[in-house]
Amino acid sequence: MGEFDNKEREEVFSKKVRAGKRTYFFDVKATRSGDYYLTVTESKKRLEDGVFVKHKIFLYKEDFEKFAEGLNETVDYIKTHQDVVEKRYEYSENGEHSTKSSDDFSF
């Protein structure tokens, strides 16, 4: 294996979503052969020591359709069986945020 195998793949596209105490990163990366794949990372700051804890999944293009079907079915189940109030977050220059509720449940 070459030296490149130990490095992070180059990002092709990235989307950062802040949601309260969590931040989600949707990153498109390319394999050595040029195929794209998606990494989804959840980052949350631990209160006790201020360290950011990250969880990551890798999603390959051949799995996109099945993954999306499963995600949509699961979200629809929750929406059907329980009231969901989406929180809207506003960020200020000092890093503090407040929440707003909305009835918009769309992705």
Side-chain angles (χ1 to χ4, degrees):
M1 297 283 165
E3 184 179 324
F4 183 71
D5 292 327
N6 296 325
K7 295 181 181 178
E8 281 287 319
R9 301 287 184 194
E10 182 179 344
E11 286 182 9
V12 176
F13 174 83
S14 185
K15 174 69 176 171
K16 179 179 180 179
V17 177
R18 289 186 177 155
K21 295 178 182 179
R22 292 180 181 84
T23 301
Y24 299 97
F25 298 91
F26 300 91
D27 300 314
V28 177
K29 298 183 180 188
T31 64
R32 281 188 285 176
S33 62
D35 286 333
Y36 290 166
Y37 65 96
L38 170 67
T39 63
V40 180
T41 306
E42 174 206 36
S43 179
K44 183 177 179 184
K45 192 176 194 178
R46 272 195 311 226
L47 295 176
E48 59 270 11
D49 58 7
V51 171
F52 285 93
V53 177
K54 296 181 180 182
H55 299 95
K56 185 179 286 196
I57 65 166
F58 293 79
L59 186 61
Y60 298 93
K61 64 183 181 181
E62 60 267 21
D63 301 328
F64 287 172
E65 188 173 328
K66 292 290 185 184
F67 183 88
E69 287 173 7
L71 178 62
N72 287 330
E73 184 177 334
T74 304
V75 169
D76 288 344
Y77 177 88
I78 294 170
K79 289 178 183 179
T80 301
H81 292 86
Q82 198 171 66
D83 289 336
V84 178
V85 177
E86 182 177 331
K87 294 182 179 179
R88 300 281 183 181
Y89 301 93
E90 291 184 357
Y91 291 86
S92 64
E93 291 294 321
N94 64 10
E96 294 188 20
H97 62 273
S98 62
T99 60
K100 288 184 174 182
S101 293
S102 171
D103 290 333
D104 179 13
F105 305 120
S106 61
F107 283 101

